[in-house]
Amino acid sequence: MIVARRKPAPPLLAAATGKSTILVAGCKGCVAVCGAGGEREVGLLATQLELAAKRLGQKRTVIRATVARQCDPGFLPPFDNLMEQAQACFSLGCGVGVQYMAERYPGKPVFPAVDTVFAGGSPAAGHWEERCRMCGECVLGETGGICPVSRCAKELLNGPCGGSVNGRCEIGRDQPCAWNLIYERLSGQGRLKNLNVITPPKDWSRAGAGVRSVAREDLMP
Ligand code: SF4
Ligand code: SF4
C-alpha cells in the first residue's frame, strides 16, 4: 500500500486564505488505511479550515467528500458538482490521486493535504514501514523475499557492506541489517549459495524513464 502522512496545518491554512468555498476530498484507499486521508482526516481538516476562517472573521463553506479511490479517474465524477461550487480543493489522496484531481479540474487549484512517503506495510498497529521502491526489476526471488533496495541503507545488491554489527545496520543500531536478514533467511532455506553469485549493477532502464506505465491487453475492453 501507499503510505502517507498528514501535512502540518499552517501551510494548508495559509493556502486556503481568501477561499470562501473549499472542497476537502478524501480517499478510502491506502491513505485511509494509514490514517492520513480517509473520512476521519477529511473531517479534521475541514474543521480546521472552518475554525481558521472564523478566527479571521471570514465566511467559508467547507464541503466534505470522500471517494473509493482518487488514484482511479473512474471514481472521480462524484466530485464534479462539488468542484463547480468550490474555489479550491484540498486533496487527501496520495500524490497519484492529487494529480488526477488536478488533471480533471485544471481551472482550480488542487492542494495536496498529505505527504506521500513510500510503498510499504503495517507490521504493528500504528506503525508503517517501507518494503518496496518499485524498481521494476524485482530480485526478491534471489534474496529470500527481503528487498535490498528498500531495506538496505545503501541499496546494496551485493551485501553486507562491512558495517553490519551483530545483525544491526551501521546507520543506526535500531535498524536491522537487511543483508544479515537475507543471510539468515537463505541459510534457513539451504540457499546460501545464492550469495556466491555477484549480482550485476541494476538495469535501471527496466525501472522506466519519464511516465512509467504497464499495459495489459487481456484486461482492456
Ligand atoms: S527488488 Fe525492486 S521491485 Fe522487488 S521489492 Fe525491492 S524495490 Fe520492490
Ligand atoms: S549494514 Fe547492512 S543494511 Fe546497513 S548499509 Fe550495510 S549492508 Fe546495508
Side-chain angles (χ1 to χ4, degrees):
M1 63 182 274
I2 300 296
V3 179
R5 59 179 170 232
R6 295 176 66 204
K7 273 185 179 292
L12 298 179
L13 300 181
T17 304
K19 307 280 189 303
S20 60
T21 306
I22 292 172
L23 170 64
V24 177
C27 173
K28 294 181 184 172
C30 305
V31 289
V33 177
C34 65
E39 284 176 312
R40 177 177 157 272
E41 293 74 31
V42 164
L44 289 172
L45 177 57
T47 303
Q48 285 178 311
L49 293 169
E50 286 167 344
L51 289 175
K54 208 170 173 181
R55 266 200 307 273
L56 296 171
Q58 299 171 349
K59 284 188 79 173
R60 175 177 289 158
T61 302
V62 181
I63 308 167
R64 300 153 165 82
T66 303
V67 296
R69 286 199 299 277
Q70 282 190 30
C71 61
D72 184 336
F75 285 97
L76 300 185
F79 288 139
D80 289 354
N81 284 340
L82 305 177
M83 278 302 280
E84 275 182 29
Q85 304 166 42
Q87 293 179 312
C89 170
F90 285 83
S91 164
L92 288 89
C94 70
V96 181
V98 174
Q99 290 188 59
Y100 278 125
M101 290 289 285
E103 206 169 291
R104 190 171 182 90
Y105 311 109
K108 302 203 173 154
V110 177
F111 299 105
V114 305
D115 290 318
T116 304
V117 191
F118 54 71
S122 177
H127 177 210
W128 286 267
E129 63 182 18
E130 185 172 26
R131 284 297 173 101
C132 176
R133 294 257 168 95
M134 305 176 194
C135 75
E137 192 182 24
C138 195
V139 298
L140 289 176
E142 290 73 50
T143 58
I146 294 162
C147 172
V149 182
S150 62
R151 297 178 70 183
C152 166
K154 295 172 185 166
E155 303 182 15
L156 296 178
L157 293 178
N158 300 283
C161 66
S164 176
V165 176
N166 295 328
R168 314 307 290 178
C169 175
E170 68 173 334
I171 64 123
R173 297 303 178 212
D174 59 335
Q175 184 162 319
C177 167
W179 275 98
N180 186 69
L181 295 175
I182 291 169
Y183 175 89
E184 299 288 350
R185 179 74 55 78
L186 291 176
S187 175
Q189 295 177 358
R191 299 168 69 209
L192 277 179
K193 63 175 178 10
N194 278 19
L195 298 179
N196 295 331
V197 179
I198 303 297
T199 304
K202 208 160 192 28
D203 176 7
W204 284 101
S205 70
R206 296 279 303 273
V211 178
R212 298 194 282 182
S213 64
V214 173
R216 285 269 309 271
E217 285 187 11
D218 56 319
L219 296 178
M220 292 178 183

